[in-house]
Amino acid sequence: MKRLPRIEQYGLIGDMQTSAHVCDDGSIDWLCLPRFDSPAPFAALLGTQKHGAWRIAPAAAYVGRAGAVAERRYVGESLVLETVWTTPSGSAKVTDFMPPRDGAPQVIRIVEGTVGEVAMVSTLRARPGYGRVSPWIHELGGRMIAEGGGDALWLDTSIELDEKDGAIVSSFTVAAGDTVPFVLSWEPSHGAAPEIPEPEAALAATLAFWEDLASQCTYNGAHREAFVRSLITLKAMTYAPSGGIVAAPTASLPEEIGGGRNWDYRYTWLRDASTTLTALLGSGYRQEAEAWRRWLLRAVAGDPENLQIMYGITGKGDLEERELGWLPGYENSVPVRVGNGAANQLQLDVYGYVIETLYLAHLGGVARCGDTAVLHQRLVKHLAERWEMPDEGIWEVRGERRHFVHSKVMAWVAVDRTIHLIEAGALDADLFALMELREAIHHEVCTRGFDTGRNTFTQSYGSQEVDAALLLIPRVGFLPPDDPRVLGTVGAVRQQLSTPEGFVRRYPTAGDHIGVDGLAGDEGTFLLCSFWMVDSLALTGRLDEARALFDRLLALRTDLGLLAEEYDHATGRQLGNFPQAYSHIGVIGSALLLQQLGSRAPAAKADVLLAAGV
């Protein structure tokens, strides 16, 4: 049985409609077809090889023989993954990618001999329905097909294939100069046979696509490699047909090994998508903002009074949560969940994130449209009626609702940015009434959400806890960075929620007891919160400390430049769904802010916030 890999041992390939996770041992252990939110025929990531995987590796690596060593990288500024295997008898290269598509999804794997000879093995074990269905494997017209559960997986290659123990297997040898391509295509089982692409032409087109995308990046600072890799990763998590952006392409990777904090992130959170678009806008990408706005209109415009915090990638609102009891979970972390029950929560901060993005899109030159204006007006009207209510907050607590300070701050942001748009002549609404509302929210937060004795804002009104989301108070302009209340809050978060390395937890958890979030168990440090600390240190004048923490965070990236949601500083492991849009947003946002603050005088901080994509 294949050893259990760490989360950081996986690379990502994708076609902007779905993606695959490729382990450094050559095994694709997670692939949902035909979309991010579809059931996975390869689900070994949440179980074992018997739940579906496709491995291509030297025969020596299969049996654990010493001397089979793999090195991998992305080819240039692309999402094409290249793994070079070195064995005692020679070396071979495996190139994995998914061509951007209009039709059937395809995974292409090209094996090339480079030195000497290498005996290779390909084992494709498809298990549709998240590892539950054993398919019918048969040959048709020289093509091998695995059919089951409504899915048909077609495997095309130039070498002989055999069925063995419910898998499609081939053993072959590549000498220097030999090339053996494999193409896996998906169609519904009742559909027509998919076309067979020309692998080399598909590779060239895929490389050209990603390199063209990267060339549009306007950032040329000191961290360009990390910046562009994060941009590519965020683009890979965009569902191209609709413009929706998933929070992560995986489900139920644990926030604590062996724990139950396992959630499905293959959906579009308004908050996550908004901050992703903010990062893209700050990097020179306007087309993505236009596509997301169209997605927003389709998902929300018909019923903004019942705004959900997340939707399916096509705008679907029903994301019923259920458990997959036949999957043992990543390192026995159960339950394995698909769907997400938090979709029906009240989270008032979402209004702020959405309106902030519409505001930044306007500043970035995205033309306003009548439909967007109507949606904006209705959102603000509804927020004005609801902002005084308790909610579940940014972290989607499953305990009682509270008056979360961050939620109120982001309600203030929604009103503040609306006022700016009215003053710019880009929106029609009652300016005086909104100015009064902005002041009322600000006053309440500073009165009820601030602990004068401890000189810090608190997680919720009257609570004793602090929350990393409070670090956003200066970032969004609610208070200036040099305000004593901001300095006190940054100090409190740093003291109570930071590890010795400076990495930041979201809020206190309670171990075996039920905590403020309504859940038992703990979690790792939250990488986005750690980037927020970078920003807070920079904005409050501690640029050297900010840069040092930023460098430590970049050092946590995998060899392929990827970040999960969280990091366990005790074991040195990444945790949570992977890769995580939030974490890569943090890379981009902090890099932009550090660049801007390093080149401007402190008096220009308000301009810096906008230039950094806030």
Side-chain angles (χ1 to χ4, degrees):
M1 182 179 294
K2 188 171 81 78
R3 61 183 170 78
L4 291 174
R6 291 190 172 203
I7 291 170
E8 54 265 37
Q9 289 176 236
Y10 286 95
L12 182 77
I13 59 175
D15 61 8
M16 293 169 300
Q17 295 189 45
T18 190
S19 60
H21 281 58
V22 187
C23 189
D24 59 5
D25 69 357
S27 183
I28 294 178
D29 289 345
W30 182 254
L31 172 62
C32 299
L33 292 170
R35 308 186 329 188
F36 290 112
D37 57 356
S38 301
F42 298 158
L45 182 63
L46 299 179
T48 68
Q49 293 284 287
K50 73 177 184 180
H51 295 107
W54 180 17
R55 187 180 186 190
I56 297 180
Y62 264 78
V63 297
R65 189 179 303 159
V69 179
E71 294 184 1
R72 58 183 182 167
R73 68 182 182 99
Y74 282 117
V75 180
E77 294 179 332
S78 80
L79 203 65
V80 175
L81 180 61
E82 185 178 274
T83 303
V84 175
W85 287 95
T86 301
T87 73
S89 63
S91 61
K93 179 173 67 177
V94 180
T95 303
D96 294 324
F97 62 99
M98 297 182 70
R101 53 160 161 133
D102 295 320
Q106 294 175 321
V107 177
I108 300 179
R109 314 189 74 178
I110 301 175
V111 183
E112 299 177 69
T114 55
V115 176
E117 291 187 345
V118 181
M120 303 287 295
V121 179
S122 168
T123 304
L124 189 153
R125 180 173 285 104
R127 292 293 182 269
Y130 297 109
R132 197 174 196 181
V133 177
S134 295
W136 171 41
I137 298 174
H138 60 106
E139 184 268 340
L140 179 64
R143 309 174 75 178
M144 291 293 285
I145 312 166
E147 292 187 79
D151 297 327
L153 295 168
W154 298 69
L155 182 60
D156 295 288
T157 185
S158 57
I159 61 175
E160 183 177 346
L161 300 171
D162 297 305
E163 178 187 0
K164 181 179 180 181
D165 298 328
I168 302 173
V169 180
S170 57
S171 299
F172 58 101
T173 298
V174 287
D178 290 344
T179 298
V180 179
F182 293 82
V183 179
L184 180 68
S185 306
W186 177 93
E187 286 283 359
S189 56
H190 63 271
E195 295 183 2
I196 306 173
E198 204 293 305
E200 294 295 342
L203 174 59
T206 302
L207 285 169
F209 172 85
W210 290 108
E211 289 168 354
D212 177 67
L213 176 81
S215 70
Q216 301 171 41
C217 176
T218 57
Y219 174 82
N220 286 301
H223 303 285
R224 180 176 168 84
E225 181 275 326
F227 193 101
V228 171
R229 181 51 51 195
S230 291
L231 278 174
I232 290 171
T233 304
L234 292 175
K235 182 68 174 179
M237 288 189 273
T238 302
Y239 183 65
S242 71
I245 302 168
V246 298
T250 55
S252 276
L253 286 178
E255 297 169 12
E256 179 185 27
I257 298 298
R261 295 169 180 256
N262 317 316
W263 315 106
D264 190 348
Y265 278 13
R266 298 171 299 154
Y267 307 113
T268 299
W269 271 253
L270 294 184
R271 179 191 306 110
D272 298 44
S274 297
T275 49
T276 298
L277 264 297
T278 296
L280 291 170
L281 281 165
S283 312
Y285 294 86
R286 195 170 69 182
Q287 181 179 349
E288 286 75 10
E290 293 172 342
W292 176 80
R293 188 177 69 181
R294 291 192 296 272
W295 174 91
L296 178 69
L297 288 168
R298 288 192 299 269
V300 177
D303 193 19
E305 288 75 18
N306 293 306
L307 183 73
Q308 293 186 190
I309 67 160
M310 72 179 89
Y311 296 85
I313 52 179
T314 59
K316 175 184 175 183
D318 182 7
L319 306 179
E320 180 182 0
E321 184 173 303
R322 61 192 178 96
E323 297 179 4
L324 307 183
W326 62 88
L327 286 174
Y330 178 85
E331 293 199 15
N332 298 313
S333 303
V334 292
V336 171
R337 298 183 179 94
V338 295
N340 200 305
N344 298 317
Q345 289 187 352
L346 174 63
Q347 296 177 21
L348 294 171
D349 64 303
V350 167
Y351 292 89
Y353 285 101
V354 170
I355 290 174
E356 170 80 331
T357 304
L358 294 175
Y359 172 66
L360 289 172
H362 169 74
L363 293 184
V366 177
R368 300 282 290 181
C369 71
D371 291 336
T372 304
V374 170
L375 173 61
H376 190 150
Q377 291 162 343
R378 293 175 69 181
L379 289 174
V380 172
K381 177 179 181 296
H382 196 49
L383 176 63
E385 298 169 352
R386 305 183 79 181
W387 75 271
E388 294 177 286
M389 297 173 63
D391 70 342
E392 277 91 1
I394 182 174
W395 306 127
E396 301 173 3
V397 301
R398 300 206 172 192
E400 64 178 290
R401 288 183 175 180
R402 296 168 178 253
H403 291 282
F404 286 101
V405 170
H406 174 72
S407 295
K408 310 298 186 185
V409 168
M410 292 308 296
W412 177 92
V413 168
V415 179
D416 178 74
R417 302 322 190 244
T418 303
I419 289 170
H420 286 311
L421 287 171
I422 295 169
E423 291 174 337
L427 190 68
D428 183 23
D430 188 336
L431 180 61
F432 180 73
L434 287 171
M435 292 179 74
E436 284 192 326
L437 177 58
R438 180 175 64 179
E439 177 58 30
I441 298 173
H442 198 278
H443 177 75
E444 180 177 293
V445 171
C446 292
T447 302
R448 299 183 63 191
F450 184 76
D451 186 327
T452 55
R454 293 186 293 155
N455 190 34
T456 181
F457 284 96
T458 56
Q459 183 180 52
S460 60
Y461 292 173
S463 72
Q464 294 300 304
E465 298 86 4
V466 295
D467 188 309
L470 300 171
L471 296 172
L472 291 173
I473 287 174
R475 194 76 157 88
V476 301
F478 184 83
L479 287 173
D482 57 358
D483 188 291
R485 292 166 293 184
V486 169
L487 297 175
T489 301
V490 173
V493 171
R494 201 176 188 188
Q495 180 182 20
Q496 297 178 40
L497 298 180
S498 293
T499 68
E501 302 93 337
F503 306 146
V504 181
R505 297 186 297 276
R506 294 188 292 179
Y507 51 82
T509 52
D512 294 335
H513 303 285
I514 301 298
V516 66
D517 56 10
L519 298 167
D522 294 312
E523 62 179 26
T525 55
F526 204 82
L527 292 175
L528 178 63
C529 297
S530 304
F531 286 110
W532 287 347
M533 181 60 77
V534 171
D535 302 345
S536 296
L537 292 172
L539 287 168
T540 55
R542 290 172 282 185
L543 270 173
D544 288 343
E545 292 178 63
R547 292 189 183 106
L549 178 55
F550 187 63
D551 288 341
R552 288 197 294 276
L553 285 166
L554 291 187
L556 300 182
R557 300 184 310 144
T558 72
D559 58 325
L560 296 174
L562 302 178
L563 288 169
E565 182 180 31
E566 300 182 2
Y567 178 75
D568 183 354
H569 73 99
T571 61
R573 296 185 61 172
Q574 295 202 29
L575 297 173
N577 284 304
F578 175 83
Q580 176 77 10
Y582 252 171
S583 300
H584 288 280
I585 290 164
V587 172
I588 292 171
S590 293
L592 287 168
L593 184 64
L594 290 172
Q595 182 187 47
Q596 293 295 328
L597 285 173
S599 62
R600 296 192 180 200
K605 282 176 180 174
D607 293 334
V608 167
L609 291 174
L610 295 178
V614 176

